[in-house]
Amino acid sequence: MADPTEISSHDLTAWLLSADERGNDRTRLDEIHPGQAWTEGNRVRPLIHGATYFARLHECLEATGAGDVVRFADWQGDADERLTGEPGSEVLEVLGRAAARGVDVRGLVWHSRPAAAAGDLGDNAEFSSRLRARGVEAWLDLRTRPRGSHHQKFVVLRHRDDPSRDVAFVGGIDLCHSRRDDAEHLGDPQHYDLAEEYGATPPWHDVQAEITGPAVHDVETVFRERWEDPAPFDGTSGRRITRPRRSTPSTPTPSPLPAQLPAPPAVPGGTHVVQLLRTYPQLTAKRDYPFAPGGERSVARGYTRAIRRARRLIYVEDQYLWGRHVGEMFGRALEQNPELHIIAVTPLHPDLEGPLGRWPQLEGRRRALRHLLRAAPDRVALYGLENHSGTPVYVHAKACVIDDTWTTIGSDNFNRRSWTHDSELSAVVVDRAGDYGRRLRLTLAAEHLDRVCDESFTTTADCLDPADMFATYAASAARLDAWHDGGRVGPRPDGRLRAMRAGELGPFARAVAALPYTYLHDPDGRPRHLRRDHGFWEENRS
């Protein structure tokens, strides 16, 4: 694994899902590339940190002109979030200026914020309303399961006169407060409060993928399928889904989309094969998504395929990592492959407080870890991050690198909710030149170890081999943990990794956590007959 290995067409079919294996024969997603459920000739650039993504998004949006197209889907949005930190770079201003130039800008936003559970649309109603006042056709999309959400976070830019400039951004970063942090991890000045451990300005770690090439067309198709769903955005017309207690003034009526532009050309020298994976739940027997009846669980299917092929290292950065199903999948891979190691970087502390917030999150992590640690306790390691002031960093990233070959950046977390219940979108990359996954893994390692990331990765040479990376992370975290345990005497050791010390919930706390974990934090969106399966592994054999 130390040297990149070119990927053959046979290897591609071994790592990636076919159109049939996607498990959804009603989607248009794979129509323009018949015979394969992916596109070739792309270039994907990981944008690590919200500040990096926002600056690049700002640059691309400001360069759009009359006749161009912008499409976005968001879990949460704030009109005043500044993409560059400067006045005039607010999301509302940037999108509003684009619309005034004649750019066709449309968006789908879920009613985020905890208040939505009580029927209050929260800030997203204001966000979409203010955008519409500036000529941006943005609607709240309430077409979800009960307690479900539209969790996809992507932006697509198409250029009428120069398709080589087309670009899509896919990942876990919302157009909202708290996301614009950088490598120093001092937090976004425009922030939301998290649990008290994260301080007044919570540090935030995240990743987004910038995609150029034919795969941009596929990302746009994901938007078009949702936009063209004939069910009303407000969830009326017989579909029993999450919707506000306060009725909206009128049922939104979206404008028809213009004809979709052809896929942009392959990028010269583009070696990245991109496959889009999604989650959509089954809604009800009475009304379902026309583009995914019964739901789509290609995120779960894709991970199942890739994890079963893992031999050396699964590297995860994820907000959650919850649940028995996920733990069993990893545990079986560890049992079947004695050289396999798993490294996971997750938040040191849940983002919520109280018995109905923190306890269910800790219970979800416990259910996953017991299977991993039972299978191979000496080959599994969980870490959190802190900044140089000792404040924990909230890990919101959703990224995974398997054997430096199969890499994903998306909106989905490692839990049942993301794999069955909410709408999700993830971009898998398999690099025919064999270097993309390794470069992402070592770039992240350089930051977490406090090393300068050089082009040849000489500063992270002790992480090239999976077993060496496992030992390097462990040693770095041990030094920092010992410094904290010793009263923080003397110079702070290099590195930001802290070994996870998950407190064990007692019997009472576990009993209290069980119901909110199952029905609120990590619900199951599969059809009822599939819920009887032991886990995703069995479902995905078919």
Side-chain angles (χ1 to χ4, degrees):
M1 191 181 298
D3 296 315
T5 303
E6 292 189 3
I7 304 298
S8 67
S9 296
H10 173 74
D11 290 333
L12 277 181
T13 59
W15 282 97
L16 299 176
L17 299 177
S18 67
D20 288 341
E21 289 168 331
R22 181 182 294 281
N24 178 7
D25 61 5
R26 296 287 292 277
T27 180
R28 307 197 307 265
L29 189 56
D30 301 319
E31 285 182 355
I32 69 164
H33 33 80
Q36 61 187 36
W38 59 82
T39 61
E40 302 210 34
N42 304 287
R43 180 175 296 139
V44 182
R45 182 164 72 105
L47 303 176
I48 301 172
H49 312 305
T52 306
Y53 166 46
F54 281 177
R56 178 62 178 148
L57 178 62
H58 179 267
E59 176 186 11
C60 292
L61 288 171
E62 291 285 78
T64 56
D68 293 343
V69 165
V70 173
R71 308 285 184 248
F72 69 92
D74 210 8
W75 180 79
Q76 183 171 337
D78 287 299
D80 64 339
E81 176 67 13
R82 293 179 172 179
L83 296 180
T84 68
E86 299 298 323
S89 69
E90 294 84 359
V91 172
L92 176 66
E93 296 302 318
V94 174
L95 293 177
R97 286 196 298 267
R101 293 193 300 270
V103 181
D104 183 352
V105 187
R106 310 197 196 195
L108 293 171
V109 188
W110 180 69
H111 57 90
S112 63
R113 308 292 295 277
D120 185 349
L121 292 185
D123 282 2
N124 275 0
E126 179 184 0
F127 179 54
S128 60
S129 177
R130 293 181 67 184
L131 285 172
R132 290 196 300 276
R134 293 289 299 271
V136 175
E137 190 172 354
W139 299 107
L140 294 176
D141 188 354
L142 308 185
R143 299 170 293 189
T144 66
R145 286 178 65 89
R147 302 179 301 279
S149 73
H150 285 300
H151 198 242
Q152 296 170 339
K153 304 113 182 280
F154 64 86
V155 182
V156 181
L157 293 84
R158 305 296 306 272
H159 299 83
R160 180 185 62 185
D161 300 325
D162 187 2
S164 67
R165 295 171 54 213
D166 290 355
V167 61
F169 300 93
V170 174
I173 303 180
D174 305 278
L175 303 176
C176 72
H177 294 168
S178 285
R179 274 51 170 176
R180 187 171 51 82
D181 200 358
D182 57 24
E184 292 301 310
H185 288 311
L186 300 179
D188 185 343
Q190 298 173 275
H191 62 86
Y192 290 117
D193 293 334
L194 297 182
E196 63 178 356
E197 291 93 343
Y198 293 99
T201 309
W204 196 275
H205 176 69
D206 226 324
V207 184
Q208 197 86 354
E210 177 184 346
I211 303 171
T212 52
V216 172
H217 184 279
D218 289 359
V219 181
E220 184 189 10
T221 299
V222 174
F223 179 91
R224 295 177 73 94
E225 285 189 333
R226 280 183 56 187
W227 186 274
E228 294 169 350
D229 180 350
F233 285 145
D234 64 359
T236 57
S237 188
R239 184 187 290 181
R240 293 189 295 170
I241 61 175
T242 304
R243 60 188 180 192
R245 293 175 182 171
R246 296 199 304 258
S247 61
T248 53
S250 61
T251 301
T253 303
S255 301
L257 292 172
Q260 189 171 10
L261 295 170
V267 177
T271 60
H272 297 160
V273 178
V274 175
Q275 178 166 74
L276 297 186
L277 303 179
R278 304 182 299 182
T279 299
Y280 289 113
Q282 182 191 47
L283 292 177
T284 70
K286 187 172 183 180
R287 178 69 167 84
D288 219 336
Y289 295 121
F291 53 85
E296 178 177 322
R297 289 167 292 281
S298 56
V299 167
R301 290 172 177 256
Y303 268 112
T304 298
R305 166 71 64 83
I307 289 171
R308 292 177 69 178
R309 289 189 57 80
R311 297 296 181 267
R312 301 294 309 283
L313 178 64
I314 300 174
Y315 181 81
V316 172
E317 294 197 358
D318 195 74
Q319 182 182 8
Y320 293 132
L321 191 60
W322 286 352
R324 171 177 62 88
H325 299 82
V326 171
E328 287 176 344
M329 184 180 296
F330 279 130
R332 289 176 179 172
L334 288 164
E335 290 170 349
Q336 295 170 5
N337 301 285
E339 294 187 7
L340 180 63
H341 292 73
I342 296 177
I343 299 173
V345 178
T346 67
L348 278 168
H349 308 282
D351 58 330
L352 302 176
E353 297 178 341
L356 297 183
R358 176 159 299 201
W359 290 1
Q361 292 196 24
L362 293 175
E363 171 64 7
R365 181 182 293 175
R366 184 195 69 82
R367 293 185 183 190
L369 288 185
R370 65 179 177 177
H371 294 283
L372 277 73
L373 297 177
R374 183 184 303 155
D378 57 336
R379 291 185 281 126
V380 176
L382 260 70
Y383 300 100
L385 300 175
E386 69 174 31
N387 64 17
H388 291 152
S389 299
T391 303
V393 176
Y394 190 68
V395 177
H396 190 257
K398 300 100 167 55
C400 179
V401 182
I402 297 181
D403 285 351
D404 286 355
T405 301
W406 188 95
T407 303
T408 181
I409 295 172
S411 67
D412 56 282
N413 295 293
F414 276 91
N415 61 9
R416 185 173 57 192
R417 170 182 283 278
S418 282
W419 287 10
T420 71
H421 194 271
D422 295 345
S423 65
E424 306 284 4
L425 177 65
S426 187
V428 170
V429 176
V430 176
D431 187 358
R432 279 198 177 273
D435 200 35
Y436 174 85
R438 184 184 71 157
R439 294 181 68 85
L440 174 58
R441 176 173 65 85
L442 295 179
T443 299
L444 293 167
E447 178 182 321
H448 302 335
L449 296 169
D450 271 337
R451 300 177 185 178
V452 176
C453 185
D454 62 325
E455 184 65 22
S456 61
F457 294 104
T458 56
T459 61
T460 50
D462 55 353
C463 292
L464 285 172
D465 182 82
D468 290 346
M469 183 174 186
F470 194 86
T472 299
Y473 267 39
S476 179
R479 288 191 295 268
L480 188 53
D481 288 341
W483 181 75
H484 278 283
D485 294 342
R488 300 168 62 141
V489 176
R492 181 186 183 278
D494 290 339
R496 310 180 188 193
L497 295 163
R498 300 292 307 276
M500 191 67 64
R501 300 178 179 181
E504 185 69 24
L505 292 175
F508 174 76
R510 286 175 54 188
V512 170
L515 280 177
Y517 169 74
T518 301
Y519 293 103
L520 295 178
H521 291 263
D522 203 19
D524 195 332
R526 292 178 293 175
R528 190 171 299 277
H529 71 280
L530 288 179
R531 298 183 201 179
R532 294 193 294 268
D533 286 350
H534 193 244
F536 301 119
W537 199 279
E538 285 73 13
E539 177 190 346
N540 293 317
R541 284 178 179 167
S542 60

